[in-house]
């Protein structure tokens, strides 16, 4: 995992050296390269193999996204319902 790699690289550093390690990773060029590498890996793993998993990713991602978009509205309704029950309104 990436977290283990980062941990193994920084565990021998002094605290003053750690920001210097992370600073280049926060540049726009590094972020663009990382996103492109991730997209290339995804393409190689799922698209080129004719896998059905990208369809699942879109379906489940859409469901999660719609849930998160509707969540604030649903919470307002629930709070209103609880408030009404506490004060004896129907």
């Amino acid at each position: 995992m990436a977290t283990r790699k980062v941990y193994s690289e920084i565990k021998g550093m002094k605290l003053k050296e750690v920001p210097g390690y992370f600073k280049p990773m926060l540049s726009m060029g590094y972020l663009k390269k990382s996103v492109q590498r991730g997209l290339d890996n995804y393409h190689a793993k799922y698209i080129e193999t004719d896998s059905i998993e990208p369809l699942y990713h879109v379906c489940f991602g859409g469901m999660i996204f719609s849930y998160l978009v509707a969540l604030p509205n649903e919470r307002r309704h629930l709070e209103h319902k609880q408030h009404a029950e506490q004060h004896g309104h129907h």
Side-chain angles (χ1 to χ4, degrees):
M1 296 285 255
T3 308
R4 288 183 188 167
K5 181 183 173 199
V6 170
Y7 176 72
S8 67
E9 290 177 1
I10 66 171
K11 74 178 178 182
M13 293 182 179
K14 294 183 179 179
L15 190 57
K16 292 179 184 179
E17 298 170 343
V18 174
Y21 174 79
F22 284 108
K23 192 169 185 176
M25 294 180 189
L26 299 176
S27 70
M28 196 53 108
Y30 185 86
L31 291 175
K32 285 180 183 178
K33 208 167 26 171
S34 296
V35 168
Q36 186 61 48
R37 190 172 51 243
L39 290 174
D40 290 343
N41 290 342
Y42 185 87
H43 186 268
K45 185 174 182 179
Y46 297 112
I47 307 300
E48 289 181 2
T49 59
D50 294 328
S51 174
I52 195 164
E53 287 189 41
L55 180 60
Y56 294 147
H57 296 156
V58 169
C59 290
F60 289 118
M63 288 176 9
I64 291 168
F65 178 75
S66 66
Y67 175 78
L68 291 175
V69 167
L71 186 61
N73 194 31
E74 294 298 323
R75 289 186 58 126
R76 266 195 308 276
H77 285 290
L78 181 60
E79 289 172 4
H80 181 265
K81 182 179 176 183
Q82 289 174 344
H83 183 265
E85 288 174 355
Q86 288 174 353
H87 296 300
H89 296 105
H90 291 83

